[in-house]
């Protein structure tokens, strides 16, 4: 399967701990996106990369959140000093990019529970 | 307020019945995407609509875009239990933006 993959699929952590999630996009896709989804809501945009450059960040992405895509391939999303409000599904997507933007294909998500 | 409103919020139908899900935007739609999500899983891409009046079909699912009404509909013909899940519409409301905004989803249950 050459789709978007995310690891881990589930993460339980205690409040105050740091967590890191990984996303591997579809291999030829140069754009990578992070979204957050809480129960009963649609995904909310967090940030996106074109190759290794982070081009847009939502105001939802507080100072405790940092995302990287160092070599323009996989990406990591780190949350420092987790809070219970960070509990959510974190979704990664990738696309070919272009004008107009191409379809975003999503991974299976990482479900985070902060106790 | 929500940029994309989906209706209904949930839908229960008998297998074999037709159904329609609507997605209405408070802003101009530059691109409209339909996804399906099983509980606790990622989003599966269904269809993308970009031009007013555009209509696309795949198997028993048809999606239409009404640019003037800033609205899209998803129609399922002869529903099957495999159609069950949460249907989400997502859109580019800024024009050429990489950021998609999503509705809250419509939960579909198909009873055999």
């Amino acid at each position: 399967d050459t789709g978007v993959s995310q690891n881990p699929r589930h993460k339980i952590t205690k409040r105050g701990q740091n967590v890191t999630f990984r996303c591997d996009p579809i291999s030829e896709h140069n754009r990578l996106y992070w979204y957050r989804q809480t129960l009963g809501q649609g995904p909310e945009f967090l940030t996106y990369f074109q190759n290794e450059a982070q081009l847009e960040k939502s105001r939802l992405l507080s100072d405790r959140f940092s995302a990287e895509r160092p070599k323009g391939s996989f990406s990591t999303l780190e949350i420092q000093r987790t809070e219970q409000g960070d509990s959510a599904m974190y979704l990664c997507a990738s696309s070919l990019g272009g004008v107009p933007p191409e379809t975003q294909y999503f991974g299976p998500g990482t479900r985070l529970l902060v106790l | 307020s929500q940029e994309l409103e989906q209706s209904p919020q949930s839908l229960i139908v008998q297998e074999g019945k037709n159904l329609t899900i609507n997605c209405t935007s408070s802003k101009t739609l530059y691109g409209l995407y339909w996804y399906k999500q099983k509980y606790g899983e990622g989003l599966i891409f269904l269809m993308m609509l970009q031009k007013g009046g555009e209509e696309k079909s795949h198997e028993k699912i048809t999606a239409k875009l009404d640019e003037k009404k800033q609205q899209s509909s998803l129609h399922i013909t002869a529903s099957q239990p495999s159609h069950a899940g949460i249907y989400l519409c997502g859109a580019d409301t800024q024009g050429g933006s990489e950021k998609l905004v999503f509705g809250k989803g419509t939960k579909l249950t198909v009873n055999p």
Side-chain angles (χ1 to χ4, degrees), chain A residues 9 31 33 35 37 39-43 45 48 56 89 91 95 98 100-108 111, chain B residues 2 30 33 35 37 39-45 48 50 88 92 94 96-105:
Chain A
R9 293 291 309 277
R31 298 197 182 179
Y33 313 81
Y35 289 82
Q37 185 180 26
L39 201 61
Q41 302 294 316
F45 173 83
Y48 95 93
E56 187 173 350
M89 172 81 92
L91 293 161
S95 80
E102 293 285 341
T103 298
Q104 296 180 24
Y105 293 91
F106 284 78
R111 183 170 292 281
Chain B
Q2 194 82 12
Y30 294 94
Y33 302 79
Y35 291 88
Q37 186 176 32
Y39 181 75
E41 299 181 9
L43 280 63
I44 299 168
F45 171 69
M48 173 180 69
Q50 287 190 308
L88 289 153
D92 167 12
Q94 297 179 4
S97 172
E98 298 289 340
K99 168 188 169 182
L100 294 183
V101 293
F102 284 87
K104 291 186 177 183

Side-chain angles (χ1 to χ4, degrees), chain A residues 5-41:
Chain A
S5 61
Q6 292 186 245
N7 287 289
R9 293 291 309 277
H10 304 274
K11 180 71 177 178
I12 300 174
T13 192
K14 292 183 180 179
R15 190 176 53 188
Q17 297 295 304
N18 299 343
V19 294
T20 300
F21 310 140
R22 175 176 170 132
C23 171
D24 287 88
I26 294 171
S27 58
E28 64 267 27
H29 286 184
N30 59 43
R31 298 197 182 179
L32 186 148
Y33 313 81
W34 286 99
Y35 289 82
R36 181 174 69 185
Q37 185 180 26
T38 54
L39 201 61
Q41 302 294 316

Side-chain angles (χ1 to χ4, degrees), chain B residues 4-45:
Chain B
L4 290 183
E5 295 280 352
Q6 287 188 236
S7 61
Q9 288 184 325
S10 65
L11 194 53
I12 301 174
V13 300
Q14 204 66 29
E15 183 176 0
K17 295 295 186 183
N18 303 337
L19 62 106
T20 300
I21 297 168
N22 294 302
C23 174
T24 303
S25 175
S26 59
K27 297 185 177 181
T28 303
L29 292 171
Y30 294 94
L32 190 290
Y33 302 79
W34 283 100
Y35 291 88
K36 179 184 174 184
Q37 186 176 32
K38 294 275 191 180
Y39 181 75
E41 299 181 9
L43 280 63
I44 299 168
F45 171 69

Side-chain angles (χ1 to χ4, degrees), chain A residues 63-104:
Chain A
D63 291 344
R64 298 183 297 105
F65 288 70
S66 63
E68 293 183 343
R69 194 183 182 197
K71 297 182 180 179
S73 55
F74 72 91
S75 175
T76 57
L77 178 67
E78 181 183 17
I79 308 174
Q80 296 182 328
R81 305 180 304 281
T82 52
E83 302 173 354
Q84 288 183 326
D86 296 331
S87 296
M89 172 81 92
Y90 290 84
L91 293 161
C92 175
S94 70
S95 80
L96 279 170
V99 179
E102 293 285 341
T103 298
Q104 296 180 24

